[in-house]
Amino acid sequence: MKLTEGEILQTYVVDQVELPIQTERRLEALGLTLGSSVTVMNKKKHGAVIIKIRGTRFAVGKYIGDHIQVRKGA
């Protein structure tokens, strides 16, 4: 499922990231790597998602959220 389809306060595991290489590397530097846990903290009307990765909250836009594949995790 896409990250933007996630439910609030649920934790997911990152399976795949299909973004331009520069964006993908930037997210990896922030801690969003394959297999990492991501908690959806909030969702906005226009598709933006606020997520928590390794104790830090980030906001990602609809385009980025639609290109991150996740599955239910611990």
Side-chain angles (χ1 to χ4, degrees), residues 12-73:
Y12 300 94
V13 176
V14 177
D15 274 341
Q16 187 175 10
V17 179
E18 301 171 349
L19 289 164
I21 195 72
Q22 187 176 13
T23 306
E24 192 172 327
R25 295 291 179 247
R26 181 68 161 158
L27 291 173
E28 285 177 2
L30 296 172
L32 188 103
T33 58
L34 297 181
S36 63
S37 295
V38 176
T39 303
V40 176
M41 302 302 290
N42 203 353
K43 295 168 76 171
K44 299 295 181 180
K45 290 181 185 179
H46 298 289
V49 181
I50 300 171
I51 56 175
K52 184 183 262 188
I53 308 169
R54 299 182 185 190
T56 305
R57 294 170 68 145
F58 295 101
V60 294
K62 182 174 177 15
Y63 175 78
I64 292 175
D66 282 344
H67 289 85
I68 299 174
Q69 296 292 321
V70 295
R71 61 179 158 83
K72 279 251 187 194

